[in-house]
Each structure stands twice: as C-alpha cells, then as structure tokens.
Amino acid sequence: MTTQRLQSKVALITGATSGIGRCTAERMVAEGASVVLCGRRKTLGEQIAAQLGDAALFMEVDVTEEGQVQQAVNCARDQFGKLDILFNNAGGPAPPGDIAGIESEDFDASVALLLRSVFYGIKHAAPVMCAQGSGAIVSNASVAAQLGGYATSHLYAALKAAVVQLAKSVALELAESGVRINTVSPGAIATGIFGRGAGLDSDAADATSDKVRSALKKAQPLGRAGTPEDVANAVIFLASDEAGFITGRDLVIDGGAIAGRPYTQARTQRQALQSYLKE
C-alpha cells in the first residue's frame, strides 16, 4: 500500500534501467508520479517503461553529453507540462589502483560520468524549476565522499565528494527560487556496480546482485548489505513535500559504516590489545 506522496509530480531519473535508478522509478510511479526514465539500454528501458504504464516513458540518454541531458529535461517538461523532481543517479565505477597508475584519459572519463553528468542535470533542470518556483533535485553521491579511497578508487571518492559539495553550493542559489537540492550517499548497496567494476558488461553485472548481497553482509555494523529499496526510500523522502524544509544536505544510507567499525570486531581487537599489554 502506497501513500501517494508524489501525486501529480513529474520526475526525471538518469541511470534508470537497473539498480537504484530502476527501483526508484518504480517507487515513484507507485507514489503517484509521472516519470521519464533515462539510460543507454534502449530495449530494456522501453520494456521497463511499458511495465510501468502510461505514467512512464523512456529516453535513450548518454549523460556525458550535455545536449542529450538538456533534451531529456525538455522532454519531461513538454510531455508532462512541468518538472518537479530530478534524480541524478547515473554513474559507474572509476578506475581503481594506485595514483601513479591512473591514466589521464581514465581521469577525464570518470569526471564526465560521475561529476559532469550531475552538473548537466542540475544546470538544465534549474531554470525549469526556478520558473515554476518549486522543485527538488537529488544527486546520488556515496559514502566514499567521506571515507577516502573507499572501494580502492581515489577517483570515485574524490568525484563523489565533489557531487556533495556541488549540491551544497548550488542549494544556496536555488533556495531563493523555492528549489531544493540534496544528495544521498549510499554505502555497500547490492547492485551491478560491483560487477561492472570487475569488468562485466551491464547485463551480466546486474545478475550479480545476490552474490554482492552475500559478500557485503558484514561490511557494515547493521550486518547486511544495503538494497536499492533502501536508497529509493531516501530519495522518495527528499523528493517529497515531507522534506520541504530540507536543502543542501547529504543523507547517508550505509548501515552505520561511517560511524565506525562493527562493535564486536572493535571489542575483540581492544581485548586483544589489552591482553598483549599485560604480557
């Protein structure tokens, strides 16, 4: 049973064909929104939109191309008459490894996917929302923004930190027009991003979610991997009128990971140290 918290709202979601993006699109439609789903897998995207019914449509979009992002924003506005919500969700892994081994072209490609795409979304959604005098933008960051080389990728950590800071800064500008902008920072969420980081193509990576869920269940204090639903819940809240007085904030969804080590692990290590010191 849904609460229809997004009744009559219009949303645009990038990276909407799998994982967090797909789950959020499904939830938004269930909550009463009309949704433009964006992604690069055209056949899959059209299938998902068809399953969601008349409240959804799919656009094939490469978020690293500014013109395509602008067209998606215009499509949402022209098709449904307005744009209330933007979820900048598209992303992927960045090259791991030591700093000396990262190539310049890999750096540039990571910036394009993880940061520039978010900039494009905000840049083109902002004028539409400001003209309306309302709107909510949510960008997908990561706990890597606070944990340094989380998952061994310097670039991923740095660029997700930039996503958080970009939202905080732009929030001050857009607030004067009644538009809110926030970020969500997921922790260990069982999605295909880990499979893509291992070199699998998108379809094969999506099929690894159960393996990822099992592998990550002890990576944070709560003792389970996060799910796309966990993140979708947070995005729905920030996009809804319930969060109408929240802007410029980062909502962490990590099962307690950045709070510290699992308690039992820390206690065991502390006891071992005390025993060693008494020898």
Side-chain angles (χ1 to χ4, degrees):
M1 181 176 178
T2 59
T3 57
Q4 297 291 292
R5 288 183 290 172
L6 304 181
Q7 184 66 44
S8 301
K9 293 187 182 294
V10 176
L12 172 66
I13 301 175
T14 65
T17 55
S18 65
I20 292 169
R22 178 172 181 172
C23 181
T24 303
E26 294 169 346
R27 284 289 314 281
M28 284 190 174
V29 170
E31 292 281 358
S34 298
V35 180
V36 176
L37 298 85
C38 300
R40 289 183 293 183
R41 286 182 280 179
K42 185 172 186 282
T43 300
L44 177 58
E46 291 176 341
Q47 290 174 349
I48 295 170
Q51 292 169 0
L52 293 176
D54 294 339
L57 64 87
F58 174 78
M59 267 193 82
E60 186 177 6
V61 173
D62 180 348
V63 293
T64 67
E65 297 292 333
E66 182 173 9
Q68 293 188 33
V69 175
Q70 184 176 17
Q71 288 175 358
V73 169
N74 292 342
C75 173
R77 179 197 60 199
D78 296 342
Q79 184 72 24
F80 297 108
K82 58 178 181 172
L83 178 61
D84 300 300
I85 301 163
L86 168 65
F87 181 30
N88 287 309
N89 169 70
D98 298 341
I99 191 68
I102 298 175
E103 301 295 337
S104 294
E105 55 267 30
D106 291 333
F107 176 89
D108 291 341
S110 297
V111 171
L113 178 60
L114 296 173
L115 179 59
R116 201 169 71 204
S117 64
V118 174
F119 161 70
Y120 289 155
I122 297 171
K123 174 183 177 181
H124 292 290
V128 176
M129 292 180 175
C130 288
Q132 298 169 172
S134 65
I137 299 172
V138 182
S139 297
N140 202 353
S142 169
V143 293
Q146 301 186 48
L147 290 177
Y150 187 72
T152 73
S153 176
H154 301 310
L155 296 186
Y156 193 82
L159 293 169
K160 288 301 186 179
V163 167
V164 172
Q165 191 60 27
L166 178 64
K168 288 182 179 179
S169 185
V170 178
L172 299 176
E173 175 191 346
L174 301 189
E176 296 181 0
S177 297
V179 177
R180 299 181 297 106
I181 176 168
N182 296 286
T183 53
V184 290
S185 281
I189 308 296
T191 69
I193 191 172
F194 294 96
R196 291 197 296 276
L200 300 176
D201 63 36
S202 294
D203 292 334
D206 288 346
T208 65
S209 293
D210 287 342
K211 286 184 177 180
V212 172
R213 186 177 293 109
S214 176
L216 297 179
K217 65 183 180 180
K218 293 185 179 179
Q220 52 281 315
L222 274 182
R224 69 170 176 88
T227 67
E229 289 79 5
D230 290 320
V231 183
N233 287 336
V235 175
I236 295 292
F237 167 67
L238 289 173
S240 74
D241 293 340
E242 294 174 2
F245 204 53
I246 301 174
T247 194
R249 305 305 300 171
D250 179 45
L251 179 53
V252 176
I253 310 139
D254 70 344
I258 66 172
R261 291 175 296 167
Y263 178 76
T264 301
Q265 178 189 103
R267 182 181 62 186
T268 299
Q269 291 176 341
R270 182 175 66 252
Q271 291 172 340
L273 175 60
Q274 291 171 344
S275 297
Y276 171 71
L277 295 175
K278 292 176 181 178
E279 292 177 356

